[in-house]
Amino acid sequence: MEVLVTGGAGYIGSHVCVELLNSGCEVIVVDNFANSKPEALKRVQEITGKYLKFYEADILDKLALEKIFSENNIEAVIHFAGFKAVGESIKIPILYYNNNITGTLVLCEVMKMYNVKKLVFSSSATVYGMPKRVPISEHFPLSATNPYGRTKLMIEEILQDIYASDKQWSVAILRYFNPIGAHESGRIGEDPRGIPNNLMPFITQVAMGKREKLSIFGSNYATHDGTGVRDYIHVVDIAKGHLKALEKIMKTRGIETYNLGTGVGYSVLDLVKNFEKATNKKIPYVISEPRLGDIAECYANPIKAKTILNWSAEKNIQDMCIDAWRFQVNNPEGY
Ligand code: NAD
Ligand code: WQD
């Protein structure tokens, strides 16, 4: 089966490409390297020993997408391409709305033209806004606290409307919690530009000595140690979830939403301690002001994905720390 992966050179996309190739799929990637490097795709092929077809193009470029669909027998699309930095989305919302929403519209338009109606979409736990309780199930109320989150919410609604208008579509919306870690080869992983926004890449850069200390954003939350609690999940588990979702949409029609999380919450301090234990590295930290828009606790009820997709996370927090660290050590300057 030929699968188009938009944003396949990115952090999660590259790990999904590895799993797709290992499962025998033919993989076609479209990426404009807005937030990634060609090296990631070279390494995906090196890890798997398999060939991957690649187009350097922007998903906003309709003609370029038409060319990709006309030159291949694409049966399904896994759609990662988009911008993802919450803080940046507040500063440059127009770019975020255009890239994420228009990009998805152009993609869906071209899919429809070529009668490809199987789609897996990357959504995020951010669509739960400020949840009233945890663990979070898929039917919980949705809201957004920033433009990035709003793009995900709007795209989810757009996909619902597309399916309502044409019941031939089959769509899986995957809401990831906090993906961290890297492929166990240490060849592909998260390669943030500049100062990392997210916790794990910040920790690995402190451990490398690239940054002096971690700032822990707030210690007075209503959690077991006062620091924010999240559902960290190994990126390879997330990648495997995509294969299960793909399997499902190839056999069915409809639109379904699934949480991809472990169901277990760890605080910032828990993650720091686990990282120190896994790597034997000390992480100096200071407590600073809470980050605007952050919530105390966010973790999934992952039962729907377990029941319907037969997927659940297999790797633990130590695996996540060891693998994130291996990628950082092997690639001190990123790709
Ligand atoms: P990433 O930035 O590493 O990957 C996104 C890829 O899309 C990059 O390679 C980038 O170059 C490409 N891209 C962006 N705009 C494009 C365009 N217009 N045309 C072609 N390519 C384009 O991000 P990621 O962490 O791999 O996330 C993948 C998806 O999952 C995103 O949609 C993101 O919003 C979503 N998501 C990520 C997280 C997370 O914590 N990493 C959590 C929830 C959801
Ligand atoms: C985790 C915890 C911070 C950095 C974000 C997006 C979300 C999704 C995943 C895309 C929080 C604390 C962090 C630091 C810290 N992405 N922290 N010091 O905020 O849960 O989710 O990424 O969809 O939409 O919002 O992840 O890794 O930024 O933070 O103390 O330097 O670590 O306060 O409690 P978050 P994160």
Side-chain angles (χ1 to χ4, degrees):
M1 178 171 62
E2 291 186 25
V3 181
L4 176 67
V5 182
T6 77
Y11 173 44
I12 302 171
S14 55
H15 289 81
V16 169
C17 287
V18 166
E19 298 303 320
L20 286 169
L21 289 168
N22 281 341
S23 78
C25 286
E26 285 169 58
V27 177
I28 300 141
V29 166
V30 55
D31 203 302
N32 65 356
F33 301 122
N35 194 36
S36 55
K37 306 231 174 79
E39 180 66 19
L41 294 173
K42 259 179 68 186
R43 295 189 185 183
V44 165
Q45 296 177 86
E46 167 206 299
I47 290 168
T48 57
K50 297 203 172 126
Y51 164 78
L52 166 159
K53 193 163 176 181
F54 170 67
Y55 291 86
E56 179 167 355
D58 193 314
I59 58 162
L60 291 165
D61 181 346
K62 190 168 172 227
L63 288 178
L65 279 189
E66 284 181 33
K67 183 169 184 287
I68 297 171
F69 278 81
S70 67
E71 288 179 359
N72 299 284
N73 284 314
I74 295 163
E75 284 176 64
V77 178
I78 306 185
H79 176 35
F80 296 103
F83 294 151
K84 64 164 179 179
V86 170
E88 192 179 63
S89 80
I90 296 168
K91 293 196 190 99
I92 46 171
I94 298 173
L95 274 180
Y96 268 68
Y97 285 116
N98 191 42
N99 198 47
N100 293 8
I101 297 179
T102 315
T104 304
L105 287 174
V106 173
L107 173 69
C108 290
E109 211 180 337
V110 177
M111 287 176 69
K112 190 176 152 88
M113 275 172 71
Y114 285 84
N115 204 30
V116 179
K117 296 178 177 177
K118 309 275 187 196
L119 176 68
V120 179
F121 172 64
S122 303
S123 189
S124 165
T126 192
V127 300
Y128 295 113
M130 306 263 179
K132 286 212 171 63
R133 56 194 166 87
V134 280
I136 301 169
S137 299
E138 288 82 352
H139 65 267
F140 274 30
L142 305 178
S143 68
T145 50
N146 56 69
Y148 166 70
R150 240 175 316 275
T151 68
K152 292 293 175 192
L153 257 185
M154 288 179 186
I155 295 167
E156 288 201 7
E157 288 177 353
I158 289 168
L159 296 176
Q160 296 283 354
D161 288 339
I162 291 175
Y163 173 70
S165 74
D166 176 357
K167 300 279 171 22
Q168 301 290 315
W169 281 79
S170 186
V171 180
I173 294 173
L174 305 181
R175 293 182 182 147
Y176 317 147
F177 280 68
N178 288 58
I180 60 170
H183 191 264
E184 63 178 16
S185 63
R187 298 291 288 156
I188 57 170
E190 191 168 9
D191 180 23
R193 294 188 175 184
I195 303 170
N197 299 307
N198 297 112
L199 180 59
M200 182 55 109
F202 205 103
I203 290 178
T204 60
Q205 291 196 6
V206 171
M208 280 300 277
K210 283 180 90 169
R211 313 214 170 263
E212 194 191 330
K213 55 183 179 293
L214 170 71
S215 287
I216 295 183
F217 300 146
S219 60
N220 286 317
Y221 287 109
T223 61
H224 64 271
D225 61 18
T227 66
V229 165
R230 296 292 183 273
D231 188 336
Y232 297 99
I233 173 163
H234 199 292
V235 66
V236 171
D237 278 330
I238 289 267
K240 289 181 174 161
H242 288 70
L243 266 70
K244 293 287 193 179
L246 183 63
E247 228 177 81
K248 181 78 182 168
I249 61 166
M250 294 317 290
K251 291 190 298 217
T252 51
R253 288 186 183 139
I255 180 160
E256 284 294 341
T257 304
Y258 305 95
N259 283 341
L260 294 189
T262 64
V264 182
Y266 287 96
S267 71
V268 177
L269 281 172
D270 290 336
L271 190 64
V272 167
K273 281 181 209 142
N274 270 285
F275 187 88
E276 289 181 339
K277 185 173 156 210
T279 63
N280 241 337
K281 286 272 167 187
K282 193 93 199 112
I283 304 298
Y285 64 82
V286 288
I287 305 290
S288 64
E289 284 302 300
R291 187 170 59 182
L292 208 70
D294 271 2
I295 54 180
E297 281 192 297
C298 176
Y299 55 92
N301 175 347
I303 195 74
K304 184 173 176 189
K306 170 83 186 156
T307 314
I308 302 182
L309 301 179
N310 189 27
W311 170 89
S312 55
E314 287 167 358
K315 292 179 182 280
N316 63 31
I317 197 84
Q318 284 288 304
D319 301 325
M320 300 179 213
C321 294
I322 290 166
D323 291 340
W325 179 232
R326 189 185 296 110
F327 179 74
Q328 177 70 73
V329 169
N330 290 353
N331 307 275
E333 302 306 323
Y335 286 116

